[in-house]
């Protein structure tokens, strides 16, 4: 009898444990993800709906399942840093340095004239021509112009004079920002060789590590110095590409004190910008923005100025700013977005700082902006996949990026195929519950059947045991 009871207990415990495993139906919302055919690792910017319906500030209740209900490994990480590289060819101004001898370390024997903007105007020798010594080209001083803030030069390309077909020389390139201190950055052999068919084989450029400079000096280590017909600098400009942004507009409700407005906020939103869209024109509103905390709660922010308002809570101010909407000669000046450190809260509080500004149009909207995180996952199992979220008290399931995409460099992650999310689907609440994909529903039904069978068997043996006890003769 004890063996049977023990077996039944194990059966019930196993069935109950299996039935309580994490499943898509346990969550409130779902978005279908369909990766590209044959894709292994895929990435996606987390949809705004995830932030609106997640129950955890750290997105602990986000899960990813395949079409059979099998959980998939995924990572939630900051969006990759992107930049755009532009290559431009810039003609440089050429100034020949003519004399009997020029030092490779300075231009002491020459007068250099520049404009107020740094533009090189002329380079001339102060020495006279010594008897028996003819002046000749010694070097070239180049002016590449003022560089843009993000501009870097990584090469110079040379064009031969029109009457020169073949040429060979080794040159030294030095650069400077003040025409006083010179840094040698490259040396190379320039050569052009033209055959009888008028075909030219040329090594006509100097390449070097990208750097910013205004002036350059070209001197010859061997070969005949010549005045090139043209010299062009290749400039690289890198422009940062801002990550995609998301935003939400919140409708306020009356607060605890006169003029105060409360804005219920999804807890998962990592807001780093805020603005107020005033509905009334010609309005200037100095305000304090903050949050309420319970008395026994520790504030999440460094600013700890506390103003008790009601029993059991205190107000923590976070930002002081002025929102406005002013009409001037038919044109409106409107306050823009205010950047701030990331704030996550379930409610924003807006307090006017001036008594006369306590009345605010109810249609005025508070806007929050944030940068969505990236979801990186391994497309294994059976597609399509379900991204589910919206469960209170869920434990974190996201893995470190190094465990989902080990050995991948940032540029490789940036090149991963992207996934386009489907429509938001409610899995519980007022909307009908989505059916469990494939055979997951049958497996769940089988587990519950096993659980009920175990309870029935246990009840039967308990009834038999009680019957036997009653039938035993009393001493």
């Amino acid at each position: 009898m004890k063996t049977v009871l023990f077996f039944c207990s194990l059966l019930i415990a196993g069935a109950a444990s299996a039935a309580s495993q994490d499943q898509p139906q346990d969550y409130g919302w779902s978005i279908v993800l369909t990766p590209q055919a044959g894709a292994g690792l895929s990435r996606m910017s987390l949809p705004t709906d995830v932030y609106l319906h997640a129950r955890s500030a750290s997105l602990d209740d986000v899960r990813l399942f395949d079409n059979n209900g099998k959980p998939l490994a995924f990572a939630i990480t900051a969006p990759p840093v992107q930049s755009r590289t532009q290559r431009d060819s810039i003609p440089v101004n050429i100034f020949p340095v003519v004399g009997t001898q020029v030092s490779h370390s300075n231009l002491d024997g020459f007068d250099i004239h520049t404009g107020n903007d740094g533009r090189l105007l002329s380079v001339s020798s102060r020495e006279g021509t010594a008897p028996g010594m003819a002046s000749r080209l010694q070097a070239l001083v180049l002016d590449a112009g003022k560089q843009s803030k993000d501009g870097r030069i990584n090469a110079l390309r040379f064009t031969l004079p029109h009457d020169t077909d073949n040429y060979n020389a080794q040159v030294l390139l030095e650069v400077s920002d003040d025409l006083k201190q010179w840094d040698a950055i490259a040396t190379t052999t320039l050569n052009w060789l033209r055959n009888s068919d008028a075909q030219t084989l040329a090594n006509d450029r100097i390449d070097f590590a990208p750097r910013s400079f205004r002036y350059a000096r070209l001197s010859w280590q061997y070969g005949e110095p010549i005045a090139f017909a043209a010299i062009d600098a290749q400039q690289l400009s890198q422009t940062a590409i801002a990550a995609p942004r998301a935003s939400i507009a919140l409708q306020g409700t009356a607060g605890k004190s006169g003029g105060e407005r409360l804005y219920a906020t999804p807890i998962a939103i990592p807001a780093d910008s805020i603005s107020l869209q005033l509905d009334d024109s010609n309005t200037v509103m100095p305000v304090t923005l903050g949050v309420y905390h319970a008395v026994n709660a520790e504030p999440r922010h460094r600013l700890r100025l506390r103003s008790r308002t009601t029993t059991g809570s205190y107000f923590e101010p976070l930002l002081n700013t002025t929102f406005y909407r002013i009409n001037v000669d038919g044109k409106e000046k409107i306050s823009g977005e205010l950047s701030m450190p990331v704030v996550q809260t379930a409610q924003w509080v807006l307090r006017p700082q001036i008594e006369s500004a306590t009345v605010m149009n109810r249609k005025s909207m508070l806007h929050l902006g944030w940068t969505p995180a990236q979801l990186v996952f391994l497309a294994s199992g059976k597609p399509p996949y379900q991204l589910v979220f919206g469960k209170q008290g869920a434990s974190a399931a996201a893995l470190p990026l190094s465990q989902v995409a080990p050995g991948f460099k940032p540029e490789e992650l940036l090149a991963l195929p992207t996934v386009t999310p489907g429509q938001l689907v409610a899995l519980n609440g007022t909307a009908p519950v989505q059916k469990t994909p494939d055979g997951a529903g049958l497996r769940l039904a089988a587990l519950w059947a096993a659980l009920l069978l175990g309870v029935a068997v246990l009840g039967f043996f308990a009834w038999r045991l009680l019957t036997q006890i009653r039938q035993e003769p009393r001493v």
Side-chain angles (χ1 to χ4, degrees):
M1 179 66 68
K2 292 181 179 180
T3 302
V4 174
L5 291 175
F6 178 73
F7 172 77
C8 292
S9 300
L10 290 180
L11 178 63
I12 294 173
S17 175
S20 64
Q21 288 181 354
D22 217 16
Q23 298 186 28
Q25 306 96 304
D26 300 333
Y27 295 81
W29 304 90
S30 170
I31 295 177
V32 174
L33 308 182
T34 305
Q36 298 180 17
L41 279 174
S42 300
R43 68 181 180 93
M44 178 190 69
S45 182
L46 276 180
T48 301
D49 286 323
V50 174
Y51 290 95
L52 298 185
H53 297 289
R55 300 293 186 86
S56 166
S58 53
L59 300 175
D60 289 345
D61 56 328
V62 173
R63 299 287 189 276
L64 189 62
F65 294 95
D66 74 354
N67 202 29
N68 291 326
K70 174 187 175 183
L72 301 182
F74 68 94
I76 296 177
T77 183
V81 178
Q82 301 184 54
S83 62
R84 181 186 297 110
T85 301
Q86 181 177 341
R87 290 175 170 82
D88 298 307
S89 182
I90 303 174
V92 303
N93 293 320
I94 305 172
F95 296 84
V97 178
V98 179
T100 56
Q101 185 176 3
V102 177
S103 170
H104 288 293
S105 60
N106 56 58
L107 293 172
D108 290 339
F110 291 82
D111 290 325
I112 299 176
H113 299 280
T114 60
N116 294 331
D117 58 355
R119 181 167 53 93
L120 189 58
L121 300 177
S122 65
V123 179
S124 58
S125 174
R126 292 196 299 265
E127 64 179 14
T129 304
M133 296 185 65
S135 294
R136 63 188 185 90
L137 180 65
Q138 300 287 339
L140 299 176
V141 176
L142 314 176
D143 183 359
K146 186 177 181 180
Q147 303 299 305
S148 61
K149 180 180 179 181
D150 300 321
R152 300 289 186 272
I153 296 175
N154 73 323
L156 293 179
R157 185 176 181 181
F158 301 85
T159 302
L160 282 178
H162 298 297
D163 56 351
T164 304
D165 292 333
N166 300 306
Y167 183 74
N168 182 67
Q170 188 176 67
V171 295
L172 172 68
L173 180 66
E174 301 165 279
V175 297
S176 173
D177 288 321
D178 57 6
L179 293 168
K180 297 178 181 179
Q181 300 294 326
W182 295 86
D183 295 328
I185 62 170
T187 180
T188 192
T189 299
L190 300 175
N191 52 61
W192 288 259
L193 179 62
R194 177 173 293 186
N195 60 18
S196 57
D197 296 329
Q199 295 177 334
T200 302
L201 180 64
N203 178 31
D204 59 355
R205 57 186 285 145
I206 299 178
D207 293 286
F208 44 87
R211 62 178 295 168
S212 177
F213 60 88
R214 175 71 189 259
Y215 311 104
R217 181 171 66 185
L218 192 73
S219 57
W220 278 258
Q221 295 183 319
Y222 73 76
E224 182 67 21
I226 62 172
F228 290 100
I231 302 176
D232 296 304
Q234 179 174 284
Q235 184 184 55
L236 301 179
S237 299
Q238 286 192 333
T239 304
I241 301 176
R245 297 279 293 171
S247 63
I248 184 176
L250 304 175
Q251 182 73 52
T253 58
K256 300 179 180 181
S257 58
E260 184 180 79
R261 301 289 288 175
L262 306 179
Y263 298 87
T265 311
I267 188 64
I269 291 179
D272 58 11
S273 70
I274 193 167
S275 64
L276 184 66
Q277 180 184 342
L278 294 168
D279 193 63
D280 294 330
S281 185
N282 291 326
T283 302
V284 176
M285 181 171 290
V287 300
T288 297
L289 290 159
V291 297
Y292 277 121
H293 290 294
V295 171
N296 58 353
E298 191 68 21
R300 301 178 184 177
H301 316 284
R302 294 182 179 179
L303 194 59
R304 293 176 180 268
L305 299 178
R306 302 185 180 186
S307 175
R308 299 294 180 117
T309 56
T310 60
T311 303
S313 65
Y314 65 90
F315 176 71
E316 181 188 3
L318 301 179
L319 297 169
N320 291 310
T321 188
T322 300
F323 295 116
Y324 56 88
R325 181 180 175 184
I326 304 173
N327 192 311
V328 180
D329 296 332
K331 297 181 180 180
E332 281 196 328
K333 294 177 67 70
I334 301 175
S335 54
E337 285 189 336
L338 177 66
S339 298
M340 62 183 182
V342 173
V343 176
Q344 288 183 276
T345 180
Q347 184 187 75
W348 275 95
V349 182
L350 183 147
R351 287 183 171 181
Q353 295 178 359
I354 303 176
E355 290 297 330
S356 60
T358 55
V359 179
M360 183 174 63
N361 194 311
R362 294 183 178 181
K363 295 181 180 180
S364 298
M365 308 288 286
L366 189 72
H367 289 255
L368 301 177
W370 72 96
T371 300
Q374 286 272 310
L375 178 78
V376 180
F377 67 96
L378 187 63
S380 60
K382 184 177 180 181
Y385 307 112
Q386 281 194 91
L387 181 68
V388 300
F389 44 93
K391 180 182 177 181
Q392 195 68 39
S395 57
L399 298 174
L401 183 61
S402 59
Q403 295 183 14
V404 177
F408 277 72
K409 299 178 181 179
E411 57 271 19
E412 293 175 318
L413 292 172
L414 192 59
L416 291 178
T418 57
V419 177
T420 302
Q423 296 295 321
L424 179 69
V425 176
L427 297 181
N428 54 47
T430 57
V433 177
Q434 191 182 42
K435 293 182 180 180
T436 307
D438 288 347
L442 295 177
R443 291 194 298 272
L444 182 61
L447 290 173
W448 280 109
L451 177 61
L452 294 176
L453 178 61
V455 172
V457 172
L458 180 60
F460 172 75
F461 282 104
W463 175 76
R464 288 288 306 272
L465 181 59
L466 290 175
T467 302
Q468 292 178 4
I469 292 174
R470 291 176 179 176
Q471 292 177 354
E472 291 178 358
R474 298 182 179 178
V475 180

